[in-house]
Amino acid sequence: MGPPDVTLSVLTRHEQQVLALIAAGMSNKEAAQLLSRSPRTIEHQVSAVLSKFSAASRMEVLLRLRGEPWLLATDST
């Protein structure tokens, strides 16, 4: 059985923002600074994304989502 079919709708708005910044190559610390959140909050949001995708790493999530146009948006508002 393959990975679960996870869509944008299962991610919170904040998780979507963090995922987009990760896709842009930012670290947790950089994402935290840009979004005015603590690095620990970003770590929790990344963990939530990994859990929702049943993924072991950020790269695994990004590979599953490659080609998704929403992932390219890094609007932090």
Side-chain angles (χ1 to χ4, degrees):
M1 181 188 260
D5 183 24
V6 179
T7 64
L8 175 63
S9 64
V10 302
L11 300 177
T12 67
R13 181 174 58 90
H14 288 166
E15 291 166 353
Q16 292 171 30
Q17 289 174 329
V18 170
L19 187 57
L21 294 175
I22 289 168
M26 288 192 178
S27 67
N28 286 356
K29 184 177 179 180
E30 292 168 327
Q33 290 173 342
L34 183 67
L35 297 173
S36 299
R37 298 183 197 147
S38 76
R40 188 78 174 146
T41 297
I42 300 299
E43 288 175 21
H44 285 292
Q45 291 168 333
V46 170
S47 292
V49 170
L50 295 178
S51 177
K52 289 177 182 182
F53 278 86
S54 298
S57 69
R58 300 163 175 235
M59 185 57 70
E60 186 177 342
V61 172
L62 295 175
L63 287 172
R64 289 187 199 172
L65 293 174
R66 67 180 169 257
E68 291 289 329
W70 68 268
L71 192 55
L72 302 175
T74 57
D75 180 16
S76 62
T77 58

